[in-house]
Every structure is written in structure tokens, then in C-alpha cells.
Amino acid sequence: MANLRTLLLNQDTQGGELFESPRERLLFYRAEIHFESSLLAERTSAYLASQSFLMIAFASAMANSNPDWGNLFRLVVPAVLALLGLLTSLHAMPGIRSNFEVIERWHQKQAELLQLEGRVGILPNNESALFGEGTSPAGGKRYKRTLLFSLRTPIIFSLVWGLFGVLCLTLSLLD
């Protein structure tokens, strides 16, 4: 049984000598989760910053009231900005999705470790789990709810940019 447990715990590394104990493996998993979560937060922040600048430019372009070239400007520039917003949203989706999948994989490995080595996550003189994760099935899925904002944001912006593109073209053609 101990050999099977060791084999299962070491399946994600080339050799078992990398970790001296299950606790070290748990700390490694937590560090990877933290790194990937930080990377996801940075990607989401950069994406939201780019979208906010595009929104400001779009609103400014739509508000242009120059009598000489305002109509043409309101037809071309907002449509181009809406297309750019849509394209950046579509290009952001795979990177954010892959980060989510990597985080999910590390959480799964952590859950397997806690299931095989249940006592590794328990702090001495305290029955609470290390890092607050818990070994219950419900406790292990909480992280997904926190990542949904990053996953859904590009989809929402894609829909908004599509709507804005259609709206600016319709308003410009009705003038």
C-alpha cells in the first residue's frame, strides 16, 4: 500500500527525490497555485485596462459632433474600435482559459494528495486544514467561483463590443 501511495504521489514529477515529504509536496502545489493565480490576475488586470481605454476612445468617438467630418468619423472610428475590442476579447479568452485549467489541475493534485495523505494538511493542535482548503468535496470547489470573473469577463466584453459595433453602424446609417 505504501508503494502504491508513493507511486501515485510522484506521478507528476520525474523522480520521488524532489520532495522529501508529503508536506513539501503540498507546499509546492500551493506555491504553483499561487503563481498561476497571480498570473491570471495580472492577465485579467491588463485585459481590463485595455478594454477600459478602448471604451473611453469608443465613447469619445461616438460623441464627436464636428459638422465637417463628424458623420464619417462616427461611422468609421467607433466601428474600428468595436472590432478591435472584439478581437482583443477573443484573443484574451484562450490565455485566461489555459490559466484556469492549470489552476484547476494543481487544485486536483492537491485534493488527491490530501485524500491520500489526509494528515499532511492538518496543523498540529488544530483540526483545521492547512491554508483553509479543507478535505471536503465542497471546500475544494470554492476556488472555481473566485475564478469565474476572469473566465466570464472576455465573453461579456465580446458581447458588448458586438452590440456596440452594431449600434454604431445602425446609428450612423440612420443619420
Side-chain angles (χ1 to χ4, degrees):
M1 182 69 173
N3 288 338
L4 176 62
R5 181 177 290 166
T6 304
L7 179 66
L8 288 172
L9 289 175
N10 290 328
Q11 70 185 2
D12 61 327
T13 61
Q14 293 298 319
E17 64 278 352
L18 184 64
F19 303 109
E20 291 182 16
S21 70
R23 187 177 220 42
E24 284 183 19
R25 184 177 299 274
L26 178 64
L27 292 174
F28 174 76
Y29 290 169
R30 293 300 297 173
E32 289 298 313
I33 290 168
H34 178 74
F35 171 76
E36 292 294 334
S37 297
S38 296
L39 185 61
L40 179 61
E42 289 172 16
R43 280 186 176 167
T44 303
S45 290
Y47 171 72
L48 287 173
S50 71
Q51 295 302 300
S52 67
F53 283 117
L54 284 173
M55 283 285 179
I56 291 168
F58 179 85
S60 297
M62 288 296 289
N64 184 2
S65 60
N66 186 314
D68 295 330
W69 48 274
N71 288 339
L72 180 62
F73 187 85
R74 276 195 309 269
L75 174 64
V76 175
V77 175
V80 169
L81 290 172
L83 181 62
L84 182 61
L86 181 63
L87 289 174
T88 57
S89 294
L90 293 175
H91 283 281
M93 282 184 210
I96 290 173
R97 179 53 127 167
S98 68
N99 261 121
F100 174 80
E101 290 170 356
V102 169
I103 292 168
E104 194 171 46
R105 190 185 86 232
W106 284 116
H107 272 282
Q108 182 181 11
K109 288 179 180 288
Q110 176 182 277
E112 290 170 1
L113 175 67
L114 288 172
Q115 190 173 24
L116 289 172
E117 296 284 344
R119 297 294 302 168
V120 74
I122 304 299
L123 296 171
N125 300 325
N126 188 353
E127 292 301 315
S128 64
L130 186 61
F131 306 112
E133 269 298 309
T135 55
S136 70
K141 300 296 180 187
R142 281 187 219 140
Y143 71 93
K144 283 186 180 183
R145 285 185 289 193
T146 63
L147 299 177
L148 287 179
F149 175 78
S150 293
L151 283 174
R152 291 179 179 163
T153 301
I155 297 167
I156 292 168
F157 270 104
S158 294
L159 295 173
V160 167
W161 283 120
L163 179 67
F164 280 175
V166 169
L167 179 69
C168 75
L169 291 175
T170 302
L171 289 176
S172 294
L173 296 175
L174 290 178
D175 275 343

